[in-house]
Amino acid sequence: MKKQINNSRWKAVLMSISNDELDENDRPQTIRKKKRDIFYQDIGITAQEKFLSKQDKTEVVRRIKVRWDKTITEKDSGIQIDSIDYNIERIYTNVDTREMELSLSYVN
C-alpha cells in the first residue's frame, strides 16, 4: 500500500517584486516579474488569522503551504494563482517538516 507524501498538487507562480522603475510622472512603479513555478497545497483560513489580519489593516483571503524556501520573503516576493496576484502578508516556517505556510492578500 502506497502512502502519499506530497500533497502539493497545484501550481502557482512565484513573482519577484521591485520598485526600481519610475513612470512618466517620476513616481515609483511596482514591477512584478516571474521568478519560477512552485507547487502548493491550499489550506484554510482560521478565524484567528482573519482577526489578526484585520488588526494590521490587511485582509488575508488565502493560505497556502509550500516547500521551505529561504528566498521567499514578505517584502520581495509575491504569488500569482490563476492570473490573480497576491501579496505575502505572513510566513510561518515549520523546519521539522521543511514547509512554509504563506498568508496571502489581494494586491491593491
Side-chain angles (χ1 to χ4, degrees):
M1 188 161 146
K2 289 187 177 182
K3 180 180 177 185
Q4 183 177 359
I5 297 172
N6 188 3
N7 289 327
S8 301
R9 62 188 109 195
W10 293 287
K11 191 184 282 191
V13 178
L14 181 63
M15 309 289 279
S16 64
I17 300 173
S18 63
N19 292 326
D20 296 338
E21 297 186 17
L22 300 175
D23 64 357
E24 64 272 355
N25 296 323
D26 292 334
R27 292 180 293 198
Q29 209 175 23
T30 303
I31 305 298
R32 293 175 162 263
K33 295 181 183 174
K34 180 179 177 177
K35 201 172 189 181
R36 68 174 191 276
D37 292 336
I38 59 172
F39 288 93
Y40 72 95
Q41 176 185 358
D42 207 357
I43 54 178
I45 304 171
T46 61
Q48 181 180 8
E49 182 80 28
K50 282 191 173 190
F51 178 73
L52 292 175
S53 69
K54 291 210 185 229
Q55 287 181 339
D56 293 338
K57 304 283 192 264
T58 61
E59 186 176 351
V60 173
V61 294
R62 193 171 207 168
R63 281 180 56 211
I64 62 173
K65 189 186 295 186
V66 297
R67 282 208 178 118
W68 185 28
D69 187 357
K70 293 181 183 178
T71 62
I72 297 176
T73 62
E74 291 101 340
K75 182 181 176 184
D76 298 329
S77 301
I79 301 288
Q80 185 180 40
I81 300 172
D82 293 334
S83 71
I84 299 173
D85 289 331
Y86 295 97
N87 287 331
I88 300 173
E89 297 296 331
R90 184 185 71 89
I91 297 176
Y92 172 73
T93 305
N94 190 351
V95 181
D96 295 334
T97 60
R98 300 185 58 79
E99 292 177 331
M100 297 170 65
E101 290 181 9
L102 308 176
S103 298
L104 306 175
S105 67
Y106 291 123
V107 175
N108 294 334

